[in-house]
Amino acid sequence: METTTKTAKEIYAEVKNNPTRKLFGFGKKAVLVNIDPQKAYTAVGQFNSAYETDPQQLHYVNQLAAQFRRLNWPVVWTYVAYMQSGEDAGVWGTRTNTPDSLQNIKFGSERASFDERLQIDPQRDVIYCKKMPSAFFETQLQSLLVWHQVDTVILTGGSTSGCIRATAVDSLSRGYRTIVPEQCVADKHESYHYANLTDLALKYADVLDVSTVLDWVRQQG
């Protein structure tokens, strides 16, 4: 195993700035999957489980969503919420039991609600409740992508080390070109965030500046 004294952020910067790094690239049609931008994870100062990496994250997400709607491309929002018993969280919900715990994001609660800064179109956008890290796991996302004949999956939301990573791995495993706009994902700690951006960039996805992703989407149609 190679060892280092560099921080995760420094290692990510090296990977990002490597001119020989190969990219999967964009395909012909994309889906925008916004993973769990709900108050449990976005309401910093209100909930201990919330976090923020880029203060403009949700603004960029709204910009992407608007461009996808212009093209009549699918826009997906996911959230997590559980029964009062928490049994539908399964073993994932058994490690802790505090007001901040995963299984205590209850249906109808404020923690389960989407952040009010988001511009969600309830008539056109697709909303899925997911129970596990990947947005593909036991949701209708795969069927939606087949119906829309997309070949590219663009991921936003959080956390980088959790649900973003899990969804990216599942996306690549299903044969999709997977794109992560760097400013559109967040995590609780910069070490987890940058370590997983590095791993995503090296293995599972193209981690790109959000301006690059927006430019590509604007050029379509």
Side-chain angles (χ1 to χ4, degrees):
M1 181 179 71
E2 184 177 337
T3 61
T4 182
T5 59
K6 297 174 183 176
T7 67
K9 189 174 184 179
E10 289 170 337
I11 295 172
Y12 172 66
E14 290 181 356
V15 170
K16 181 180 178 180
N17 295 324
N18 180 0
T20 65
R21 180 168 58 96
K22 301 287 187 181
L23 299 177
F24 296 117
F26 295 98
K28 296 180 180 179
K29 185 178 181 180
V31 59
L32 179 66
V33 182
N34 306 300
I35 299 177
D36 305 346
Q38 62 196 84
K39 291 183 180 180
Y41 304 121
T42 62
V44 176
Q46 183 176 0
F47 298 116
N48 291 331
S49 53
Y51 42 76
E52 180 180 86
T53 300
D54 189 310
Q56 295 297 309
Q57 178 190 11
L58 300 187
H59 170 68
Y60 295 133
V61 170
N62 286 333
Q63 286 185 305
L64 285 167
Q67 290 299 318
F68 270 70
R69 294 188 198 102
R70 176 184 64 83
L71 296 166
N72 290 316
W73 287 2
V75 176
V76 176
W77 308 87
T78 73
Y79 69 101
V80 294
Y82 299 99
M83 300 163 57
Q84 285 300 315
S85 66
E87 64 194 82
D88 48 341
V91 70
W92 198 24
T94 63
R95 299 188 74 178
T96 63
N97 186 19
T98 72
D100 303 316
S101 296
L102 176 77
Q103 77 271 26
N104 288 323
I105 303 177
K106 303 302 186 184
F107 282 110
S109 70
E110 192 169 6
R111 292 181 76 211
S113 302
F114 286 116
D115 194 294
E116 62 271 2
R117 292 170 290 178
L118 296 170
Q119 297 168 6
I120 300 175
D121 186 336
Q123 302 301 317
R124 299 178 62 182
D125 299 350
V126 178
I127 297 175
Y128 293 136
C129 177
K130 68 180 184 62
K131 306 290 185 176
M132 295 293 151
S134 173
F136 284 96
F137 185 78
E138 295 185 353
T139 72
Q140 296 79 39
L141 182 58
Q142 174 69 27
S143 296
L144 182 78
L145 272 53
V146 171
W147 172 253
H148 281 280
Q149 298 182 313
V150 304
D151 56 8
T152 302
V153 175
I154 297 177
L155 301 176
T156 80
S159 68
T160 313
S161 60
C163 298
I164 295 294
R165 180 192 172 94
T167 304
V169 172
D170 275 0
S171 176
L172 178 74
S173 299
R174 286 166 167 77
Y176 295 107
R177 299 171 185 268
T178 306
I179 311 293
V180 177
E182 179 182 339
Q183 295 84 354
C184 293
V185 294
D187 211 318
K188 190 75 172 177
H189 192 284
E190 75 166 24
S191 180
Y192 318 146
H193 177 69
Y194 288 109
N196 280 274
L197 285 182
T198 298
D199 208 41
L200 287 167
L202 289 175
K203 299 175 184 176
Y204 307 117
D206 291 346
V207 181
L208 304 174
D209 192 280
V210 65
S211 63
T212 300
V213 181
L214 277 166
D215 286 345
W216 177 77
V217 177
R218 288 167 177 152
Q219 292 167 12
Q220 309 307 304

